[in-house]
Every structure is written in structure tokens, then in C-alpha cells.
């Protein structure tokens, strides 16, 4: 049964190895274009200040690298892994931005000119936000460069080591100070006023990288810093509710703006004294209990006892937000203050960061990623509350009744219409947590629907009418995880922990855009 999934991924990989490989400048490299036109196979291009770039952003190709690596493991064909290793080896030497890399949310490499490029409206800023790169491959190819990169990542983004203030944007540090992991630290209070935006989507990439470095080297110093940073978010928790914030500092830009929650809700919610660090919108809640929780729990599993803190803190977030933000009646996550006050339906009295005057704050349906996260939390801890929340989420998504944690899922809807790759990860987690074959059948059904509805002309796209196919598609990696599970050993395929990729920059004629919607969301006229 696994072969139909493996063969589909092979066809995709062979096609992209041919069409997306760099042949776009005067001298070719081992790099890849980020995506291709689904009919002509021309590479994705970005226009900036009169220039046209053929984007190659290695941070946005990590699922592709995992796919190549996993494909070699499942087929026994070494050429896929060798190409992934060749690409990463080249990048670690040739795409260096100091000790950083030209990659991430605002930087890339132009394959036509073989020059680094960056968002004209952001500057040459290094940024990772829930990217969670495939460091295992990087370390296998070049341990020293990988170690240097992770150290530089912290060096360039952390602006005050004593309280771990950091910025999501970074540039190569000047150097000359103490060794990166030997700085001083004080357990100072959170909610201090700073210049950086200490968002957990960027913070999780920092502690993920440092913890992975410990995994490779055994050096406990980066692990110590990873735990310190993770605990900064724990320190924001309300003592009554256990709800923590999306950030741990108050962001004020002198002469530009103050704290965005204070500016918009300072009067309207005066009795709650909200700041950004105590107010979470559904998209922020989703990151805390979705991507960041998956990152921490899978780190905890990979590191064993050394990573128990990451697992435990993630589970605590799942429980607290499950109590105060998640609603069993509508299967949704709601905007909430960390004191437990829900804000759903609040009519904005003032325009600002959170919306325009007259708009209402809305909830958002729990999705398959959150189902995966809560199921993983249950598998790691056996906590029945996490299972009850996962059970409710599954019903809201359309999966029917997955049953009690100790009973058969007799109400499971195997006719569930889903072709999203994250659905495979959720179903496989349900199977691993319970051992019940019906969940593996569900994963197969989703895999079949994925091939039917998202596999077009050898590419993976949401529909046959989408103009561009993204190299970093999650579908092939999900299918390899499914195939490996069917063959009895899912650990043969590289770990994926909910990371995502994007490039965001000013585009001529349009302003600031993000490639996931601006490029890969474009649909041709039927």
C-alpha cells in the first residue's frame, strides 16, 4: 500500500530536480528555485525596485530537503539524499551573511545574478518565524558551519542577554564580546519595555536551534539558554489562569508608537489594563498551542529527559488555553486576555493593530494542526483532558467521534473529505496515540484524497488551476510519513514539527506581499 504514495513523491521529486534546479544564470549552482509555473515550469520571480529576481530561499525549502532525504531512505536510491546534501553544503559556504545565511522571511538569493537580495521595505534583515530548519541535515553535512550559524543566530537577534530581549530581525553581530553561550543572565521580571518584538513565533526558532545544537554536540550551554528563553514565556503566565502571553516584553518604538494593545484598548478595556503580552487573538493562540507547542513537544521527545521542560510547558499551555480559549460548543478558539476574559464579539471603539473601528473580534475554528497538537500532548502525557479537547476538535472539523481514550472510535467518519497534508499528520498521531487501525485507515484515506485533489501534472498544488507550484510543498513529506508508517517505522523519515515557510517583501506595483498568498495563491482563469 505504501508504494503508491512513494511513487507519487518520486515523480514529484524527479520533476522538480529537473525543472527547479538552478539553470537560470550564467553559471549554475546546486540551488533550487522556490517554485515553478505549473504549465511552463518557468521559475517563480519577484519584482523589486525595477529588478526581477529568481527567488531561491533555502529557509523556504526545508520540507523539500526532508523529502529528498526521506525518499532515499524509503527507496534505497542515494541520489535524492546526495543532492540534498550537495545543496546544503554549497549553501553553508556560499550563502553566508556573516555567520548567518541569506534566507528567511525577508532575504533570499537571486539565481540570475547569483547575488543575495532582500525586502526593500525591511532591509537586509535575517528572520526566522516558525521555520524550524532541518538542522539534522545541516549538521550531518557540516557540523562546524551549523554550530557557527546557530551561535550567530542568537548573537544577531538577542539584544540584551541579561533579560533575553531579542528582535525578530537580525544582522551579523560585530563580535568581540564573550563567547556566545557564556553571557551573563539575570532572572529579571517580564513585561519590561523594550525595542524588540519578543514574539513566540521568532522565539521558538531561537530555542529550537539552540536545543538542536545540544542534541548534536552534547554541550549543555546552548540547551541552558534555550530553556531560559522558553521560560520567559512561562513567566508571563497569569497566576490564576495559567495563560501565558505571545510575547514577554512591552514593545515601544519612541516617536513611532507605543504598545499596540494599550493604544487601541487602553480606554475600552481599562479595567483589565491590557498590553500586547496579555492579549491573544486567535492567530496568536494558534501559534502558542499549535506550531510552538508542536515544536516544544517534539523537541522534548527527541531530547528525552533533557527536553522534559519543553514538553511540560507546552502541555501546560494546551491545558490552560483549552480551558479559557477553546469552546466545546462551537469547536473554536476565542480571543482572550491572560486573566481569562474572552473578548469574542467585542466591538472595536478605535482603529488600530487589532482591527478597524466598528469591527468585532471573532473566534476561529480549531483546525487539523491543533488536533495534531492536542493528540500529541495526549500521547506524551496520557492526560485525559487533552484527549477530550482533541475529541471535540475532531467533531468540529468533521471527523465524527474519535471515541474515548480507551474505547474504539466507532463514530469515526472515514468518509471525511480532506486532502490537506496536515490531516495525515493528525491521523497518524491519533494512530500512534491509540494503536487503533481505524486511524491508520483514516490517514490512508486522506492520502488518497490528497493524490486525487492536490497532485496535478506531477506537482503538488491546491488545485489544477493554481498557477505556481511551491518547491517546499508539505504534501510529499506527509505522504512519506504515511508510507513509512505503513511499512512499520516512521522514524525513517525526517521529523516535521509544524514549521512553515514564507517570503515577505515589497513587490513593485503591489506593496508588501507574502509569497504564500501573492504567488502560490494565484489561480488561472478556468
Amino acid at each position: 500500500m505504501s508504494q503508491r504514495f512513494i511513487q507519487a513523491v518520486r515523480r514529484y521529486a524527479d520533476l522538480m530536480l529537473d525543472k527547479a534546479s538552478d539553470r537560470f544564470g550564467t553559471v549554475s549552482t546546486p540551488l533550487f528555485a522556490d517554485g515553478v509555473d505549473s504549465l511552463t515550469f518557468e521559475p517563480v520571480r519577484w519584482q523589486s525596485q525595477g529588478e526581477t529576481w529568481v527567488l531561491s530561499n533555502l529557509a523556504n525549502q526545508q520540507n523539500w530537503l526532508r523529502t529528498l532525504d526521506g525518499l532515499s531512505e524509503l527507496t534505497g536510491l542515494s541520489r535524492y539524499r546526495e543532492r540534498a546534501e550537495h545543496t546544503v553544503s554549497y549553501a553553508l559556504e556560499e550563502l553566508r551573511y556573516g555567520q548567518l545565511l541569506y534566507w528567511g522571511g525577508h532575504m533570499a538569493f537571486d539565481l540570475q545574478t547569483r547575488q543575495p537580495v532582500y525586502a526593500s521595505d525591511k532591509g537586509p534583515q535575517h528572520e526566522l518565524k516558525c521555520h524550524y530548519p532541518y538542522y539534522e541535515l545541516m549538521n550531518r553535512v557540516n557540523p562546524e558551519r551549523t554550530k557557527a550559524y546557530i551561535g550567530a543566530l542568537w548573537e544577531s537577534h538577542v539584544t540584551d542577554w541579561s533579560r533575553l530581549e531579542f528582535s525578530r530581525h537580525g544582522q551579523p553581530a560585530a563580535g568581540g564580546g564573550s563567547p556566545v553561550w557564556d553571557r551573563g543572565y539575570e532572572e529579571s521580571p517580564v513585561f519590561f519595555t523594550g525595542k524588540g518584538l519578543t514574539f513566540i513565533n521568532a522565539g521558538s526558532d531561537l530555542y529550537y536551534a539552540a536545543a538542536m545544537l545540544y542534541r548534536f554536540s552534547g554541550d549543555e550551554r546552548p540547551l541552558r539558554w534555550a530553556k531560559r528563553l522558553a521560560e520567559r514565556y512561562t513567566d508571563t503566565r497569569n497566576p490564576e489562569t495559567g495563560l501565558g502571553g505571545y510575547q514577554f516584553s512591552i514593545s515601544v518604538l519612541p516617536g513611532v508608537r507605543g504598545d499596540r494593545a494599550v493604544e487601541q484598548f487602553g480606554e475600552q478595556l481599562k479595567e483589565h489594563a491590557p498590553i500586547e503580552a496579555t492579549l491573544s487573538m486567535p492567530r496568536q493562540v494558534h501559534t502558542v498551542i499549535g506550531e510552538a507547542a508542536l515544536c516544544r513537544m517534539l523537541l522534548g521527545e527527541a531530547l528525552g529527559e533533557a527536553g522534559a521542560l519543553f514538553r511540560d510547558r507546552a502541555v501546560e499551555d494546551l491545558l490552560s488555553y483549552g480551558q479559557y480559549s477553546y469552546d466545546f460548543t462551537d469547536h473554536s478558539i476565542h480571543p482572550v486576555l491572560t486573566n481569562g476574559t474572552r473578548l469574542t464579539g467585542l466591538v472595536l471603539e478605535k482603529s488600530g493593530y487589532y482591527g478597524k473601528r466598528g469591527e468585532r473580534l471573532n473566534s476561529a475554528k480549531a483546525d487539523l494542526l491543533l488536533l495534531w497538537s492536542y493528540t500529541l500532548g495526549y500521547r506524551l502525557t496520557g492526560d485525559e483532558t487533552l484527549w477530550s479537547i482533541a475529541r471535540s476538535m475532531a467533531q468540529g472539523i468533521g471527523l465524527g467521534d474519535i471515541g474515548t481514550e480507551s474505547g474504539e472510535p466507532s463514530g469515526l467518519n472515514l468518509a471525511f473529505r480532506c486532502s490537506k497534508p496536515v490531516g495525515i499528520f493528525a491521523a497518524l498521531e491519533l494512530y500512534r496515540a491509540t494503536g487503533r487501525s481505524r486511524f491508520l485507515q483514516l490517514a490512508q484515506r486522506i492520502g488518497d484524497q490528497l493524490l486525487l485533489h492536490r497532485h496535478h501534472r506531477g506537482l503538488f498544488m491546491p488545485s489544477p488551476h493554481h498557477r505556481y507550484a511551491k518547491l517546499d510543498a508539505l504534501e510529499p513529506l506527509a505522504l512519506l510519513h504515511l508510507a513509512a508508517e505503513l511499512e512499520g517505522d516512521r522514524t525513517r523519515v525526517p521529523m516535521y514539527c509544524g514549521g512553515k515557510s514564507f517570503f515577505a517583501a515589497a513587490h513593485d506595483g503591489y506593496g508588501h506581499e507574502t509569497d504564500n498568498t501573492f504567488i502560490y495563491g494565484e489561480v488561472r482563469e478556468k
Side-chain angles (χ1 to χ4, degrees), residues 147-460:
K147 177 183 177 181
Y149 170 79
I150 293 174
L153 173 68
W154 276 66
E155 189 83 82
S156 62
H157 287 267
V158 176
T159 57
D160 186 340
W161 288 76
S162 67
R163 58 184 185 180
L164 275 177
E165 181 182 359
F166 70 87
S167 171
R168 71 193 191 282
H169 291 158
Q171 296 180 347
S178 303
V180 63
W181 307 116
D182 293 334
R183 305 299 177 83
Y185 179 67
E186 302 173 7
E187 293 190 16
S188 56
V190 292
F191 307 138
F192 55 82
T193 299
K195 296 180 179 180
L197 293 163
T198 54
F199 294 156
I200 198 171
N201 58 0
S204 59
D205 254 305
L206 286 166
Y207 59 65
Y208 181 77
M212 292 300 284
L213 181 56
Y214 160 76
R215 184 185 181 192
F216 304 144
S217 67
D219 185 348
E220 294 194 359
R221 294 176 302 164
L223 179 64
R224 192 177 305 124
W225 281 105
K227 290 180 177 180
R228 286 168 176 167
L229 181 54
E231 287 293 82
R232 293 268 75 185
Y233 299 98
T234 303
D235 293 342
T236 68
R237 290 177 178 173
N238 182 288
E240 301 296 326
T241 66
L243 291 171
Y246 189 72
Q247 63 193 82
F248 55 80
S249 61
I250 299 173
S251 304
V252 176
L253 300 181
V256 180
R257 62 163 176 79
D259 183 276
R260 293 178 292 197
V262 174
E263 287 191 342
Q264 193 162 2
F265 296 114
E267 289 299 321
Q268 187 173 2
L269 299 175
K270 189 174 183 179
E271 69 275 21
H272 299 291
I275 58 176
E276 280 194 70
T278 62
L279 193 163
S280 295
M281 293 293 105
R283 68 183 184 277
Q284 296 166 325
V285 175
H286 189 282
T287 301
V288 172
I289 61 176
E291 293 89 345
L294 286 166
C295 164
R296 284 176 288 171
M297 288 187 287
L298 289 169
L299 261 180
E301 188 170 35
L303 298 180
E305 187 57 35
L309 178 138
F310 297 111
R311 176 200 64 211
D312 294 344
R313 294 295 187 255
V315 168
E316 290 162 8
D317 280 339
L318 294 180
L319 289 169
S320 58
Y321 274 98
Q323 178 180 354
Y324 290 99
S325 178
Y326 182 71
D327 195 314
F328 282 76
T329 61
D330 64 7
H331 313 290
S332 295
I333 51 176
H334 292 256
V336 65
L337 294 168
T338 56
N339 66 11
T341 303
R342 284 192 186 176
L343 301 176
T344 312
L346 182 73
V347 179
L348 304 184
E349 295 178 356
K350 183 179 180 181
S351 295
Y353 174 71
Y354 297 92
K356 297 179 180 178
R357 179 181 178 183
E359 293 180 344
R360 295 177 181 269
L361 297 183
N362 297 315
S363 61
K365 288 287 186 182
D367 61 12
L368 288 159
L369 188 92
L370 294 185
L371 173 61
W372 175 20
S373 183
Y374 274 84
T375 305
L376 173 59
Y378 167 76
R379 177 172 67 78
L380 295 178
T381 65
D383 190 293
E384 295 180 3
T385 300
L386 296 178
W387 181 265
S388 68
I389 296 172
R391 186 179 184 184
S392 171
M393 288 180 172
Q395 290 173 330
I397 290 167
L399 275 172
D401 189 358
I402 62 174
T404 63
E405 63 273 12
S406 58
E408 282 293 324
S410 56
L412 184 65
N413 177 20
L414 286 175
F416 176 57
R417 302 183 71 129
C418 175
S419 60
K420 294 182 179 179
V422 73
I424 292 176
F425 288 101
L428 289 177
E429 198 62 66
L430 286 165
Y431 172 65
R432 190 174 178 191
T434 64
R436 296 173 197 143
S437 60
R438 287 176 70 83
F439 291 127
L440 185 56
Q441 293 173 25
L442 174 65
Q444 290 178 255
R445 294 285 183 91
I446 297 173
D448 289 337
Q449 292 181 69
L450 189 156
L451 289 180
L452 180 63
H453 297 292
R454 302 177 79 93
H455 191 212
H456 310 289
R457 301 185 291 278
L459 303 168
F460 286 96

